[in-house]
């Protein structure tokens, strides 16, 4: 028989045996270990054999998770910072455009520009306008036929030739009188410029005299330079510029050599984040083919866009700075756990031993020793629960003992003056109230007599009448946690006394309410269910005492009348 046949027979036999064990689990032999495995001899070893592999696995998982999370956070922080810088620059672009349009329109409204017969005055006027605000580099005045009348700086210094785009704008202004603005383009001297043009006309008669052209160079405009300066400080290594979305040309850049160079947003690139109307994506630097983050933000109301490029190595450097101490700490903690686990097991089992001893004392009936387990962990919460159980059980036994003494005192007398003090003292002791009072009512329900314990005993007559009136007609205890807010119970003067919280209970017999019992406190408070149940029981004892006293008085009165008749 070959080895393969023997393996098949062994497999078949094993399957048959396992099938029998599944059908009849009782037939499965019970294997009793003759010696305890090393990892089961102590709790520390069990924890070590359990946690050491878990710590190793968790360390590798956490290294990956921390690295990925911190890298994502670094990218998110970088994008947020790029978005803030870009948004700030995007707000400056409309201001830049509106400033140019406003200045050229204001200059064009000057009456001096309508006097075409004095070239010297025209040139002086343009010179004064140019020096008023540092925005334009050149101003040129044209008549209604498109002929230049004056310019400043003069022709010897300035650029007297119009570009093709400026010629088109001039014809539009002269034809329809609407202000015009060009795209960024090269002048005849190969300087990137932006031209603003406005009609020169009489605002009262709308008579058009010509047009005024203002040029600003994109390399020296102070408004634009301020916006560009804010784009170059992203992580100290960012590169920001502005592009024209209609022609996809760079219109503003800190490097003059890159002005009017081609640049186009990569619409198909996956977007990393969308922040403040713009979005970020990962790209490659065309100069060195390195990874970079690109944030693109279209300018609202103008066909320009803000672009900030940040080398990806800046993000990696920040992620490394954050992740390195965390990863080192993770490895340190993992090794420290192996050392701490044996010590921790002894420290953890000590409170459990204390709780077991306390449970034994409670089982034996000893409720006097408090249970104190320091800390805020699960074991300490169990200790607090045991302590709460001990206190409640002790209070319950004391309440039962108090009720037993009150019941015995009530059963031992048939006179209200002798039995009521036991009930009132019991109410004060059980609830820790400031005052306890019982208001005896007449047959009409009016307060007739008051028995009290606690302080103050005087000056509470108005409150006695108000509580008796409110509580005599209710079936459940009347609870007022803050007496000053109970405006419907009594007048404000009565509510502003020394008593701030009360609970009043009707003393109800079979057919009437002969009395109302209430306890008062010097501060507003909330009442526990146990206090309410105890006071309800005392109110029932009071009802028994009042009922017995009335029956005794009725029997005593009948006896006296019978004795009078017999005598």
């Amino acid at each position: 028989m070959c080895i393969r046949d023997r393996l098949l027979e062994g497999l078949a036999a094993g399957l048959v045996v396992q099938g029998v064990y599944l059908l009849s689990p009782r037939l499965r032999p019970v294997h009793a270990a003759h010696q305890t495995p090393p990892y089961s001899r102590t709790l520390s070893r069990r924890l070590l054999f359990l946690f050491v592999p878990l710590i190793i696995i968790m360390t590798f998982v956490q290294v990956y998770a921390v690295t990925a999370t911190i890298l994502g956070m670094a990218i998110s922080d970088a994008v947020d910072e790029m978005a803030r810088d870009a948004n700030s620059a995007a707000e400056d672009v409309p201001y830049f455009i509106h400033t140019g349009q406003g200045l050229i329109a204001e200059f064009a409204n000057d009456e001096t520009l309508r006097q075409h017969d004095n070239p010297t005055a025209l040139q002086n006027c343009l010179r004064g306008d140019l020096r008023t605000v540092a925005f334009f580099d050149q101003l040129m005045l044209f008549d209604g036929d498109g002929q230049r009348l004056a310019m400043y700086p003069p022709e010897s210094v300035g650029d007297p030739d119009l570009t093709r785009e400026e010629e088109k704008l001039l014809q539009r202004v002269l034809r329809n009188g609407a202000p015009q603005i060009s795209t960024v383009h090269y002048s005849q001297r190969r300087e990137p410029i932006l031209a603003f043009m406005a009609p020169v006309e009489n605002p009262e008669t709308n008579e058009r005299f010509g047009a005024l052209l203002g040029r600003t160079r994109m390399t020296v405009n102070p408004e634009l330079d301020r916006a560009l300066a804010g784009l170059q400080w992203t992580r100290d290594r960012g590169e920001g510029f502005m592009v024209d979305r209609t022609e996809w040309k760079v219109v503003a850049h800190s490097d003059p050599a890159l002005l009017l160079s081609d640049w186009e947003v990569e619409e198909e690139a996956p977007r990393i984040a969308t922040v403040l109307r713009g979005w970020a994506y990962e790209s490659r630097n065309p100069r060195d083919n390195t990874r970079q983050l690109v944030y693109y933000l279209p300018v609202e109301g103008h066909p320009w866009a803000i672009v900030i490029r940040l080398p990806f190595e800046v993000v990696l450097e920040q992620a490394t700075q954050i992740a390195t101490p965390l990863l080192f700490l993770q490895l340190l903690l993992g090794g420290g756990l192996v050392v701490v686990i044996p010590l921790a097991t002894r420290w953890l089992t000590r409170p459990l031993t204390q709780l077991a001893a306390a449970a034994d004392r409670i089982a034996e009936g000893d409720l006097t020793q408090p249970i104190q387990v320091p800390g805020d962990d699960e074991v300490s919460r169990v200790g607090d629960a045991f302590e709460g159980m001990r206190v409640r059980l002790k209070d319950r036994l004391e309440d039962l003992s108090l009720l037993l003494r009150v019941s015995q005192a009530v059963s031992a007398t048939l006179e209200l003056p002798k039995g009521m003090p036991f009930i009132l003292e019991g109410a004060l002791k059980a609830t820790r109230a400031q005052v306890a009072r019982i208001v005896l009512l007449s047959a009409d329900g009016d307060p007739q007599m008051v028995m009290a314990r606690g302080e103050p005993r005087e000056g509470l007559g108005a409150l006695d009448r108000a509580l008796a009136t409110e509580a005599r007609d209710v079936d459940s205890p009347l609870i007022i946690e803050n007496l000053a807010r109970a405006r419907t119970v009594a007048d404000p003067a009565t509510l502003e006394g020394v008593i701030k919280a009360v609970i009043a209970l009707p003393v109800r017999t079979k057919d009437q309410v002969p009395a109302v019992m209430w306890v008062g406190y010097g501060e507003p408070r909330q009442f526990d269910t146990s206090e309410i149940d105890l006071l309800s029981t005392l109110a029932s004892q009071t009802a028994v005492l009042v009922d017995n006293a009335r029956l005794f008085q009725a029997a005593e009165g009948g006896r006296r009348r019978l004795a009078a008749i017999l005598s």
Side-chain angles (χ1 to χ4, degrees):
M1 182 178 294
C2 63
I3 298 177
R4 185 186 62 179
D5 295 336
R6 292 181 179 179
L7 291 177
L8 292 176
E9 289 183 359
L11 177 61
L15 292 176
V16 171
V17 172
Q18 293 298 325
V20 173
Y21 287 160
L22 290 176
L23 296 176
S24 300
R26 296 181 179 180
L27 298 178
R28 182 183 296 272
V30 179
H31 299 282
H34 298 285
Q35 187 176 2
T36 304
Y39 63 86
S40 299
R41 293 176 183 176
T42 62
L43 182 58
S44 299
R45 291 185 179 181
R46 289 190 178 188
L47 292 176
L48 285 174
F49 274 87
L50 174 64
F51 286 118
V52 167
L54 291 179
I55 291 172
I56 295 175
I57 296 174
M58 289 175 60
T59 300
F60 283 104
V61 172
Q62 289 182 358
V63 166
Y64 173 78
V66 167
T67 303
T69 302
I70 291 179
L71 181 59
M73 292 173 59
I75 293 176
S76 178
D77 291 344
V79 171
D80 290 342
E81 188 172 346
M82 295 165 69
R84 288 193 299 268
D85 295 342
N87 188 67
S88 177
E91 294 176 353
D92 291 336
V93 170
Y95 176 77
F96 165 74
I97 299 298
H98 293 161
T99 299
Q101 292 175 333
L103 288 175
I104 199 68
E106 181 181 352
F107 296 162
N109 288 331
D110 195 333
E111 296 181 359
T112 306
L113 300 182
R114 305 172 201 159
Q115 302 173 4
H116 295 175
D117 55 349
N118 191 347
T120 303
L122 294 177
Q123 185 173 357
N124 291 335
C125 180
L126 295 181
R127 179 177 58 187
D129 291 340
L130 191 66
R131 294 178 177 180
T132 301
V133 180
F135 188 88
F136 291 112
D137 298 293
Q138 187 174 13
L139 293 176
M140 303 176 68
L141 178 64
F142 299 89
D143 61 10
D145 296 329
Q147 299 299 320
R148 187 177 77 246
L149 299 175
M151 63 177 290
Y152 190 87
E155 186 174 348
S156 59
V157 179
D159 185 0
D161 299 325
L162 294 180
T163 64
R164 292 183 179 179
E165 186 167 353
E166 289 174 338
E167 292 177 354
K168 294 179 181 178
L169 295 182
L170 179 59
Q171 295 302 321
R172 291 178 188 172
V173 173
L174 295 177
R175 183 173 58 253
N176 53 36
Q180 300 291 325
I181 180 174
S182 71
T183 60
V184 178
H185 62 286
Y186 282 117
S187 68
Q188 297 295 343
R189 297 185 177 182
R190 300 300 296 175
E191 294 179 334
I193 61 171
L194 182 65
F196 297 85
M197 192 169 294
V200 178
E201 56 187 8
N202 191 329
E204 297 179 355
T205 63
N206 293 329
E207 181 183 359
R208 194 171 304 146
F209 294 91
L212 181 64
L213 170 67
R215 289 174 177 170
T216 180
R217 288 180 293 172
M218 303 302 290
T219 56
V220 294
N221 187 279
E223 299 293 336
L224 204 59
D225 289 344
R226 186 178 67 252
L228 283 175
L231 296 176
Q232 314 307 318
W233 293 99
T234 303
R235 301 292 173 91
D236 296 330
R237 297 172 64 180
E239 176 191 14
F241 53 92
M242 301 178 188
V243 297
D244 188 339
R245 289 181 287 160
T246 59
E247 299 180 354
W248 295 112
K249 298 286 187 181
V250 177
V251 296
H253 200 289
S254 58
D255 185 0
L258 296 178
L259 286 174
L260 293 179
S261 61
D262 295 331
W263 188 93
E264 188 172 354
V265 64
E266 301 178 19
E267 297 283 356
E268 298 180 357
R271 298 185 180 184
I272 298 176
T274 301
V275 184
L276 298 177
R277 297 180 291 105
W279 64 88
Y281 61 91
E282 185 177 337
S283 178
R284 290 284 179 176
N285 192 316
R287 287 174 289 187
D288 52 13
N289 199 34
T290 57
R291 297 171 64 187
Q292 65 178 1
L293 285 180
V294 179
Y295 181 79
Y296 176 81
L297 176 65
V299 176
E300 189 173 3
H302 196 73
W304 286 10
I306 308 298
V307 180
I308 297 180
R309 297 188 295 198
L310 183 67
F312 202 81
E313 61 182 13
V314 176
V315 179
L316 295 178
E317 289 174 0
Q318 181 186 6
T320 303
Q321 291 176 359
I322 300 174
T324 300
L326 293 179
L327 296 177
F328 176 76
L329 181 61
Q330 178 64 38
L331 295 174
L332 184 63
L333 291 177
L337 285 176
V338 178
V339 180
V340 169
I341 286 176
L343 302 176
T345 52
R346 300 193 192 96
W347 178 72
L348 290 174
T349 55
R350 188 179 301 112
L352 295 176
T353 304
Q354 296 176 357
L355 289 178
D360 293 337
R361 291 197 301 269
I362 293 175
E364 295 173 358
D366 182 6
L367 302 175
T368 58
Q369 298 186 26
I371 303 173
Q372 297 179 351
V373 180
D376 295 325
D377 55 5
E378 291 80 359
V379 179
S380 64
R381 289 201 293 271
V382 174
D384 294 339
F386 265 88
E387 175 63 12
M389 179 184 66
R390 183 194 69 82
V391 171
R392 287 191 296 272
L393 184 59
K394 184 174 178 292
D395 292 341
R396 185 61 177 170
L397 292 177
E398 291 177 351
D399 292 343
L400 292 175
S401 178
L402 175 63
L403 291 176
L404 178 60
R405 293 195 300 271
V406 171
S407 178
Q408 291 174 348
V410 169
S411 301
T413 181
L414 297 175
E415 299 180 10
L416 292 179
K418 294 183 179 180
M420 286 299 183
F422 291 99
I423 296 176
L424 295 175
E425 292 291 346
L428 286 177
K429 183 177 180 181
T431 62
R432 297 179 179 86
Q434 185 173 338
V435 63
R437 299 169 72 90
I438 293 180
V439 183
L440 298 176
L441 306 177
S442 63
D444 298 331
D446 298 326
Q448 189 175 18
M449 184 177 65
V450 177
M451 297 182 180
R453 283 292 185 274
E455 296 296 337
R457 295 192 181 185
E458 304 296 337
L460 299 178
L463 187 58
D464 287 331
R465 291 189 294 272
L467 293 177
T469 303
E470 291 291 330
R472 67 188 180 187
D473 298 327
V474 297
D475 296 330
S476 59
L478 175 64
I479 301 173
I480 304 177
E481 297 178 349
N482 192 343
L483 196 59
R485 298 179 181 176
R487 300 296 181 182
T488 60
V489 175
D491 58 274
T494 302
L495 300 177
E496 296 297 334
V498 295
I499 301 303
K500 304 300 182 181
V502 298
I503 175 171
L505 304 96
V507 179
R508 193 178 302 276
T509 59
K510 295 180 180 180
D511 53 352
Q512 60 180 344
V513 179
V516 171
M517 181 179 72
W518 66 274
V519 295
Y521 300 82
E523 297 293 337
R525 60 164 295 175
Q526 294 180 346
F527 296 94
D528 296 333
T529 304
S530 59
E531 294 177 335
I532 298 173
D533 293 340
L534 178 62
L535 291 174
S536 299
T537 304
L538 292 177
S540 300
Q541 293 290 336
T542 305
V544 172
L545 178 60
V546 171
D547 208 7
N548 291 341
R550 288 189 175 182
L551 291 175
F552 175 73
Q553 291 177 359
E556 185 66 17
R559 185 187 65 78
R560 291 178 180 177
R561 289 194 297 271
L562 181 60
I565 293 173
L566 294 177
S567 62

